[in-house]
Amino acid sequence: MAEVPPWLAGKEDQVRTGWVKRFRPEFWTVDFPRPMMAAVTAPAPGVLRLDLDFLTHGDLAGLIWDSEDRWSHPLLAYATDRDYRGCRLRFRWVSGPGVMPLDALNGPVLTLEGRDADGAARTWYVRLWNYADGTPTDALIELDFDALRAGFGPDGDAVHAGDIDRMFVSVVPEAFDGSAAALAVPVAGWVELRDLGADGLRSMLRVGDAFLPPHGLRMASGYDDSYHQPPERLVMQWEALGYRRLVNHYVGMSHFAALTHVGGGRFEVAGGLCSAATAWHRRLIDVAAAHGFELILSLSFELFDAHAPGGWAQRDADGERALTGWFPPSTLLSPCNGAAMDWLQGIARDLAGLAADGDRVVSFQIGEPWWWIGPSGRPCFHDAATVARWQAETGGAPPVMQDVLGDRSAAERAWLDWLGARLAEATFAVRDAAAGVSVAGFRSHLLFYAPQVLDGAAPDLARANMPGAWASPAWDRLQLEDYDFVTGGNEFGMARAAEAVTARLGYGVDRQQYLAGFVLQPSDASELWPKIAAAVRAAQARGVPERFVWAWPQVARDGFTWVELGPSAVEGGSVDEFHDVAFPLDVGFDAVGGPAFSTQVAILSSGHEQRNAMWQGARLSYDAGLGVRSEADLALLIAFFRARRGRAAGFRFRDPMDWTSGPFGADISAADQMIGIGDGTTLSFRLEKRYGDGPDAQGRLITRPQAGTVRVSVGGAEHLTGWVLEDRGLVRFETPPPAGAEIRAGFAFDVPVRFDVDQLQVSLSGVRAGEAQSVPLVEVFE
């Protein structure tokens, strides 16, 4: 199976497009302030549903339509159209208890943000009740954008609908007064826009209609990044982009929990899932199953710090809470705090219960469970619950650890081993809580984040954060994540992590899964996505059966597109795209041909030229017909041509003028070509041959070296061992070459080519008469 490099597509790359109705339910979003929660779904054709958890008198949710599609993958985005003139929107408004009705003073308002006819920024507020026919909780609403008027009454300023950026419908609780005061009790409300549709002049939008072939990469998503979109939209796009079978879905750390007011304007977690998160996840699970996806539901020990009860957080030796680098920060729950663990087990039961409906198998993941290590290696081992449990079990105080760097004392190692045992117990308890509600089967997954644990500066940390109790067969699947190593280019760290985790926990590669990614800042997309793709391929080369890209929001934002070129159907059978066999040498050495470039030349009226090089490197082409000199040669050629199915499959070809790393006719030397500079972490270097000197030299990747001919040197010394030659000309060292060392290589190589025709025009009489046959070959770029 061959892969093309990851493609970062833009909207301009939409090749196939279709049409979609403006205001289609799947394309709306929702937004709101903390601490309330809202989620939007599209549970039936023409239906948009909003589920709400109101907590204060000032809560307000906005049901949003953006004129510019900011959330879809660029190949699937709808076109930007800010002109709503000539368009009419209609829907039936139905709201449940607890939601402010249409006729109330603070009832639902349509807000339109854009510019007036003179181009000045303007916002209009349109009272929906003015356009409603029915009751305050069940009414037909029709909005003609050419006739809308702002204000409380029907005679306000006319809305200019020709330049709208976005519009949203505000929804507030019945007790709304704009204050931050907590409601007496939380209110779970809902609104549905039924029979939602548009007509008129501008009621259709062009939309990307890409549909990529299925591939082997899986998707990972997260609720904290996607709660504002309908789950139907997510599943629709995953399928269109070629993702299949498995989705790893992280419930998150901040938006899923039911909250309660604890005084002073602070809200903390209480009970299980909130109603909005329950409705959203139920739809995600159902829609995913309908499209053939199995969800791995993920729950971690991480919680939004502002909602975490004070005693639940891990703390360092000075009593400071464990805080992550996110803003605002999250904290890590203490595995020894009984209340925190009881709450986490309840969330696990809620999630697994949703997945188990319909007699489905429950796949459940514990995501990145650890004792948190803060700045300067400060461990968060010293929360009150943890210290108290150690004292109860040992009768003494635990060692005070200000950091975990370097080798630790015997007493500290015993403390670390004990902490690891407590972490294992806590993860097993959460796992078992989820398993307890499953009726049709259960699969457990543990996501292990290698860079935080396998830190060379803290060699004993693995005692606490990679406990031996996790060893096989404790979990059905061990999932590895190492994106700090990946994005940092630390190939040695990646390899060491995979080896160390496998050796310590004993999960064979067939029981492992790999999560790659992610790209936090869009400015880093072009640099980091190729590294992530390379890590995915490395995991595939190790034999890891399932690889996931983390995470969907960044995939959609950056246009990350994954394509694999698999077998092609030919004459009822299938062939691989490349056959690793050589063109017959006695024929090939008589071939004629050479390198070609593609350059556009424009001759100006002055006689000067403008030249544009269309290809980065040369492409070789040959005619091998001159080598066919006998009936035996002709028979050999025909058999070889038939085995390749014409142009369908590539093969190796020895260029008679350029097939070694050094000068023509010279012996191969380990110093022929520089293929890289060591940095102390990189293990792999690709074979390359350069033509010319200085900045104008042209580099050529060598993807088909001849086995047994490759020689390698590091820092001027040839290395006969300590490295292997992998697929596509990749030299991989067992340990990374030192920083600053030149890595050089010598080799013989073939050119990957294919026949450039599907029909050979050959003649036996021509061979007998000494006439040349035409056998065109062309290089295949790999």
Side-chain angles (χ1 to χ4, degrees), residues 225 253 302 304 323-331 372 483 518 520 550 554:
D225 297 316
M253 55 90 175
E302 187 177 359
F304 185 52
L323 296 178
T324 65
W326 302 111
F327 183 81
S330 54
T331 190
W372 186 251
Y483 64 79
F518 55 89
L520 186 60
W550 175 266
Q554 289 80 33

Side-chain angles (χ1 to χ4, degrees), residues 80 206 220 273 409 473 617 623 757:
T80 300
R206 188 174 291 277
L273 295 174
S409 68
D623 192 328
V757 293

Side-chain angles (χ1 to χ4, degrees), residues 576-580 644 647-652 753-754 780:
D576 293 332
E577 66 164 7
F578 193 91
H579 293 177
D580 199 21
R644 308 289 84 75
R647 293 185 295 177
F651 50 92
R652 289 174 175 261
V753 301
R754 61 167 172 81
V780 176

